[in-house]
Amino acid sequence: MTSASIYKKDYHVDWGDVDFKKELKLSTLFSFFQDASSMASEELGFGIEHLQQDFGVAWVLMKIRVDIVRNPKVGETITIETWPLEPGKIACDRDFIVRDGDSNILIRAISSWVIMDMHERKIKRTSTVPIVYPFGENERAIEGKLGKLKVEEPLEVAYQKMIGYSDIDFNGHLNNSKYVDYMMDCFQVEEHQKYKVKSIEVHFTNEAFPGEVMALQKVMVGQEEVYIEGKNDQSEKVIFKSKLIIEEV
């Protein structure tokens, strides 16, 4: 991987970015990833406004896996490194590494994105946007692919959530970082005190819009795995699937 392939940006972890443990919230981390991705695209000449105005499209996150060595704490400055992989016909992969002030790796992530026509709400081929990436050696932050998520055990409803104004982004649908907040709200505060997330993988299967009600369902598999799904309460369409690996603090 060449240095030309990597976009880097520093983020200071402020009080508004952390939870009651004074550690970076997963939803904030997802927001940081989204921001770094947008800035990397901007540097290549294909920022958000350019994509919307000239092509009528936007990048939409479809799958992501995040492996956590240590959560950043309030007051820390972290560096997010991100780079693209060679695009497929439909999806583009983008990887991330988060480092602390001493360059230690705190977090690794791999993700898959698609180009969506914002008028038709349909996925387009990656060739729709003629971006030329400075590819390196296609080194991955995490080895392996983002496969399917499925569970055999029946899921139980944790709670229901009405999607509102504060949950949506500039694309008009539920922001990916909000999904993570919804997942974390499936657990009691006492459970957050006892456990921490080692890994989280999320697959976004259908868009969610304001006014819709999402039913959050979960099931514990063994001592370490938790599966969480979000369904449209009316149509019963699966909106997202996720798997979390947890361990005791």
Side-chain angles (χ1 to χ4, degrees):
M1 181 171 56
T2 63
S3 58
S5 306
I6 306 174
Y7 176 84
K8 299 181 181 181
K9 186 176 179 182
D10 292 341
Y11 294 85
H12 187 265
V13 181
D14 297 317
W15 287 105
D17 301 324
V18 299
D19 61 11
F20 67 89
K21 293 182 286 187
K22 301 179 184 177
E23 296 179 347
L24 184 69
K25 290 188 293 186
L26 271 175
S27 58
T28 307
L29 175 66
F30 273 57
S31 293
F32 286 173
F33 284 159
Q34 185 170 317
D35 179 68
S37 301
S38 299
M39 297 303 294
S41 296
E42 187 79 40
E43 193 172 77
L44 293 171
F46 288 87
I48 293 171
E49 291 190 6
H50 181 35
L51 289 179
Q52 286 186 334
Q53 293 175 5
D54 291 12
F55 300 96
V57 300
W59 285 111
V60 175
L61 179 63
M62 294 297 290
K63 297 179 180 181
I64 185 169
R65 173 183 163 185
V66 181
D67 289 355
I68 301 166
V69 178
R70 176 178 73 80
N71 277 321
K73 297 183 181 297
V74 67
E76 280 193 82
T77 295
I78 58 175
T79 301
I80 293 182
E81 302 174 357
T82 182
W83 63 95
L85 283 295
E86 188 171 355
K89 292 182 179 180
I90 299 297
C92 289
D93 289 349
R94 174 173 284 279
D95 289 9
F96 303 87
I97 285 179
V98 182
R99 298 182 186 271
D100 65 13
D102 295 321
S103 296
N104 299 309
I105 294 177
L106 303 181
I107 298 165
R108 298 175 180 270
I110 55 176
S111 62
S112 180
W113 303 69
V114 296
I115 293 172
M116 177 177 284
D117 185 302
M118 300 313 296
H119 177 68
E120 297 180 353
R121 315 303 291 194
K122 291 182 179 179
I123 295 172
K124 311 289 285 188
R125 286 182 175 267
T126 55
S127 57
T128 301
V129 180
I131 302 178
V132 178
Y133 292 102
F135 295 115
E137 300 175 3
N138 283 354
E139 182 179 336
R140 303 307 307 263
I142 301 172
E143 292 300 324
K145 296 183 178 181
L146 292 163
K148 294 183 178 180
L149 290 181
K150 59 181 179 179
V151 63
E152 302 299 330
E153 290 83 349
L155 283 74
E156 296 184 357
V157 175
Y159 72 102
Q160 292 183 321
K161 172 69 178 180
M162 169 76 79
I163 299 168
Y165 161 81
S166 63
D167 299 316
I168 61 172
D169 59 19
F170 61 89
N171 290 324
H173 60 203
L174 183 62
N175 184 269
N176 67 71
S177 67
K178 289 293 184 178
Y179 285 88
V180 183
D181 279 333
Y182 289 5
M183 291 176 222
M184 295 301 103
D185 283 344
C186 287
F187 305 94
Q188 300 297 318
V189 172
E190 292 76 17
E191 292 176 295
H192 283 286
Q193 290 172 328
K194 184 177 180 181
Y195 297 98
K196 63 181 179 180
V197 177
K198 289 177 57 181
S199 179
I200 179 172
E201 183 170 339
V202 190
H203 294 187
F204 305 95
T205 55
N206 284 288
E207 293 184 277
F209 298 97
E212 295 179 352
V213 175
M214 188 189 301
L216 281 296
Q217 304 175 324
K218 72 171 183 175
V219 64
M220 189 87 180
V221 181
Q223 298 297 314
E224 293 186 336
E225 292 188 6
V226 185
Y227 283 81
I228 301 176
E229 284 186 3
K231 285 187 176 182
N232 183 299
D233 190 54
Q234 186 170 6
S235 68
E236 295 193 346
K237 279 186 178 180
V238 175
I239 299 171
F240 77 88
K241 296 180 178 182
S242 66
K243 179 178 76 172
L244 286 72
I245 306 298
I246 61 174
E247 68 176 3
E248 287 196 33
V249 175

